[in-house]
Amino acid sequence: MAWRYFLLPLTPVDRGAVAVRRTAYRRGWIRRTRLAVPVISVGNLTFGGTGKTPTVIALARDLVRMGRRPAVLTRGYKRLDDEQVVVVGPKPRQTATEVGDEPLEMARRLPGVPVIVDADRVRGGTEAQRLGADVVLLDD
């Protein structure tokens, strides 16, 4: 794990960037947008292979069992386009090239739960509400 020591000098830069971002939100330079429904974000600082997508699938299933209407919002890692796409299973019409492989897997495993692929979180969340979601799960 020697790579950690390589990144150590960048720590003050990262902390400074976080402080500037926090200040920008506090002073209103960056607008916050709130959805009318609860949002649950599943993510961490590690990329890939840490169980985020299976956790989102389990949460969505639990919410459906509880009588809720969840929608999943994801960025669609490795897809070629940046347009918003709504994927619904169990037999989605889209390909992995269009939406990414994880959204297809989620749609297959969550029939009837909209999986919205959109890098624009506000636009995607608004679409989730329009589709009737009463809770939005972010697969970050």
Side-chain angles (χ1 to χ4, degrees):
M1 299 260 183
W3 60 271
R4 286 185 183 181
Y5 299 109
F6 176 73
L7 297 175
L8 197 56
L10 297 176
T11 301
V13 174
D14 180 60
R15 286 188 179 150
V18 169
V20 167
R21 186 172 189 262
R22 189 178 312 125
T23 299
Y25 273 111
R26 248 185 282 167
R27 294 193 178 178
W29 299 337
I30 300 175
R31 245 186 60 213
R32 290 182 193 191
T33 303
R34 293 193 183 268
L35 295 178
V37 299
V39 176
I40 301 170
S41 179
V42 178
N44 58 30
L45 297 177
T46 305
F47 297 103
T50 58
K52 293 182 295 283
T53 298
T55 299
V56 169
I57 291 168
L59 276 170
R61 285 180 175 160
D62 287 346
L63 288 164
V64 168
R65 272 189 232 113
M66 294 168 49
R68 304 296 298 261
R69 296 178 319 276
V72 177
L73 180 54
T74 181
R75 294 180 195 274
Y77 179 67
K78 287 190 178 180
R79 70 186 182 125
L80 297 180
D81 199 355
D82 63 351
E83 293 297 314
Q84 181 186 80
V85 180
V86 177
V87 186
V88 180
K91 295 183 181 181
R93 296 180 315 230
Q94 296 85 358
T95 66
T97 305
E98 295 171 302
V99 297
D101 58 345
E102 287 183 347
L104 282 182
E105 182 64 23
M106 284 189 278
R108 287 184 187 117
R109 295 180 63 187
L110 298 168
V113 173
V115 177
I116 300 152
V117 184
D118 198 339
D120 183 330
R121 296 301 205 190
V122 174
R123 183 176 66 183
T126 301
E127 180 66 11
Q129 291 178 123
R130 191 189 71 72
L131 292 170
D134 63 0
V135 61
V136 175
L137 300 172
L138 298 182
D139 186 6
D140 277 338

